Structures are given as structure tokens and as C-alpha cells.
Amino acid sequence: MTWLELAEDHPFGVHNLPLCSFGRECAEWVGVRIGDRILNLAGAESLGLVDAGGSLDGETTLNRFLAEGRPTWTRLREQLTGLFSDSRQREKVEPLLFEVGEVRLGLPFDVADYVDFYSFEQHARNLGKLFRPGMEPLLPNWKHLPVGYHGRAGTVVVSGTEIPRPWGQRKRPDDAAPTYGPSERLDIEAELGFVVGVSSGGAVPVDEFREYVYGAVIVNDWSARDLQAWEYQPLGPFTGKSFRTSVSPWVVSLDALDAARVPGPVQEPGVLPYLQGRAHHGYDIRLEVTWNGTVVSRPPFAGMYWTPAQQLAHLTVNGAFARTGDLYASGTISGASPEETGSFIERTWNGAQPVRLSDGSSRSFLLDGDTVTISATAPGVDGAAVAFGEVTGTVVQEL
Ligand SMILES: O=C(O)/C=C/C(=O)CC(=O)CC(=O)O
Ligand SMILES: [Ca+2]
Ligand SMILES: [Mg+2]
């Protein structure tokens, strides 16, 4: 129960409490969403209403708080639950509340490194068929390690940021030589991104996942398929993906996702010991992809082959540090049917089966002016959903 007059099952109720960076005029703070409002956490800590070791007071991004680690994360969650449940706190808390619709939402944390995996089997099979026709779609390493690459942290942007159509080299099938120009096959990738809080000195075992990772955001890994297809061999994605990557403004904690945990998939062949552990579990998170207002797919995260704990173990197994603010994305989420795919190259099967939008037009890849919005929810306690909010972006012509 809360004095905030929220419906019991509000998807941003006391069971969720996602963190953000927000601002008004020239001021900026860190905050927490409750219902359709945001509590100014920087202000709350400076007034002594919460205590996160000074990591919120005066801060405009979550990095210092994320670096504090699990005891502080748990304490803040308990303190906030207390503040929002105890009606005697109302008088002190209310002046620090802002309507979500009246603020500007920023990138919630400074992104340190950005890694993107390729961990959904159906997606890997689909892209294998589309990029390497006639070959075995799943390459020999795929079931032994979570395939991934390092992306570009500096071009991760918050939801609502415009996406200029990237230009680059592409080689059209009938052309003898590559040409330079705007991408003609601009696509999305619907993913979840996990946010590292605590820096590691090296390898993070599967079972220490919760000590290092704070929570998750929705990711749209915009992808220019024509640039990608021409440039990617043998080193992997480069300018076809590095131009922008959008994230949702709310960081949902692993604590809020406990009720959504599902067993990790059975992995056959078995994996090496460093990829094993009890924390090998997934999450039942359901995404929805909307193209100019028409829902075109509902990708199911629960079917992910490599789990977030295994991905972190793998990306640090060589002794690489994980750092506060690292973002590692799951890979495109694509279930078995076209209506569950997380990219348009799969949804339209390379343009062979365009999708019809509610305005009567049809699409294969993105046109200038198109808007894509990805939302996500997970089951929470007592039947109340945990919302991630959304990540949205509109493609604009680069002048
Ligand atoms: O198989 C390929 O060559 C293509 C791979 C990608 O496009 C990367 C990708 O989709 C990563 C992801 O799952 O998001
Ligand atoms: Ca991707
Ligand atoms: Mg990208």
C-alpha cells in the first residue's frame, strides 16, 4: 500500500522503482519513478530522506550510485519502499515529486563500454540464412560461447533522440563496385541491455552476476544492413551499427525482476565450467515493437539461449575488467514466428514479405520520418507487471 493513490497493479508501483536521470530547465538530477511521477533522489539524499552513501546527492547520472554495490542498492530500495508506504512521510516527499510528462529524461548513466551479444538461437539462425545463404546458419562456435563484439559506447543515446540515417559504403548485388551513400536498408534490433554497477578486477563468475549487475534497460541497436553486409567480414559489425544505439531512460533493477526469473535453457552440448552456475537463469520479459503506431512484433526474451550471467562471465573470462556503466546487450530477441522477430530483416524476410502498417502503407526497411518504439514488461509480484517503459526513435535524413 502507498499514500500515492496508485492502482495496486500499477506497472510503476512500489515493486518496480526504476532509476533515471531527469531535468527541468537547466537543472538535472537522478531520480526514481513511482507511478507517473519521479522522486528527485539527489534532493531526497541531501535532505536526509534516503542514504546511499552520498552517491545521489548532487549527481546527474547514476554512475556513482551504481558503483556503490549491492548493500547500498538494497538499502535504497528498502528506504524508498518505506517512504512511499508510510503516509507520515508524505509531507516531506511530495515537494520532491515531478510529473513524468513535465521533465526531460536523460541518458541514465555514462556508458563506459558497450558490448553486444548474438545470443538468441532463432535470430542467429535467421541471420545466418540471410547473410550466408547456402551455408550452415549456426557457426561451429555458437553453442560453445556467447558470440559478441565491442560496440561504440559514445553513440549510445537516450530514447527520443533522433536517428540520422547513416551514410557509408555499400555494394548493391548488381553493382561491380561499392558506392558511398545513405543506407538503403536501415533496420532495428530489439534487445535488452544489462548495466554493470560494480567494477571487477577481472573475471566475474556466473554466480557473482548479482553482485556486479544493477539492472536492465531496453536497447534498440539500429543496424544498416547494407553497410553491415559489405564491411563485416572478417572482423564483425562496425559502421553499420556504430552510428547510434538507443536505450530506454529507466534502469529496472534485478530486484524488481526477481518474480520474472525463469530457468535457463538446457544447453546441449554442455558448456565449459566457467559458463556454469546457479545464476544461469533467464527472465520472462516481453517486448513489443511498434512501427509508426502499428504493433509489428512481440519478441520474447525468455527464450534467450545464453543468459546474462553467462554473458558477463564470458566477456570478462580473459581477465578484461568490467566497469561501472558498462552496458552489454543481449542480442536481438527473435522468437519462432515472424510476429516475434526483433529485426525487420527477419520480420519481412529481407523485404520479400513487407509488413502492412495501419495507415495502409507497407514497409521492408525504415524510411526517413519513421518512428520505432520498443516497450517491455515482465511479470511482477501478485500479478502486477513490471514496466520498462519504452525506447523510441525517429529516423531523420542526414543533411
Ligand atoms: O550473422 C551475422 O553475420 C550477423 C550478425 C548481426 O547482425 C549481429 C547481430 O544481429 C547481433 C544481435 O543479435 O543483436
Ligand atoms: Ca545487436
Ligand atoms: Mg547499434
Side-chain angles (χ1 to χ4, degrees), residues 193-312:
F194 287 80
V195 182
V196 173
V198 177
S199 296
S200 81
V204 177
V206 166
D207 282 334
E208 290 178 29
F209 167 64
R210 288 179 76 89
E211 303 311 309
Y212 289 90
V213 171
Y214 177 78
V217 292
I218 314 170
V219 172
N220 184 350
D221 180 24
W222 305 92
S223 297
R225 300 300 179 191
D226 40 1
L227 277 52
Q228 179 185 355
W230 171 236
E231 75 181 355
Y232 86 110
Q233 284 178 328
L235 289 185
F238 195 29
T239 66
K241 284 171 182 278
S242 63
F243 53 97
R244 295 289 186 282
T245 304
S246 302
V247 297
S248 53
W250 314 105
V251 186
V252 175
S253 68
L254 295 185
D255 293 321
L257 294 173
D258 274 342
R261 280 167 64 157
V262 291
V266 175
Q267 294 175 319
E268 191 53 51
V271 299
L272 288 169
Y274 81 89
L275 290 166
Q276 298 170 9
R278 285 183 315 281
H280 170 57
H281 64 77
Y283 290 99
D284 177 14
I285 300 170
R286 301 156 199 194
L287 284 74
E288 188 171 89
V289 180
T290 305
W291 196 342
N292 292 350
T294 303
V295 176
V296 294
S297 74
R298 294 191 167 86
F301 184 77
M304 189 61 70
Y305 190 84
W306 293 101
T307 57
Q310 289 180 315
Q311 291 175 330
L312 183 61

Side-chain angles (χ1 to χ4, degrees), residues 71-127:
T72 304
W73 304 341
T74 304
R75 191 167 76 234
L76 180 70
R77 193 169 168 81
E78 286 166 1
Q79 291 168 349
L80 290 172
T81 306
L83 281 184
F84 295 136
S85 307
D86 180 354
S87 56
R88 290 168 303 182
Q89 304 290 345
R90 181 173 188 154
E91 226 172 281
K92 289 187 219 149
V93 172
E94 250 176 353
L96 294 169
L97 292 174
F98 292 76
E99 295 293 327
V100 169
E102 293 174 5
V103 303
R104 179 177 72 241
L105 292 165
L107 193 59
F109 54 97
D110 290 323
V111 181
D113 282 298
Y114 168 51
V115 163
D116 186 21
F117 284 98
Y118 187 44
S119 291
F120 212 105
E121 181 170 352
Q122 197 65 48
H123 170 72
R125 288 187 180 280
N126 285 341
L127 282 231

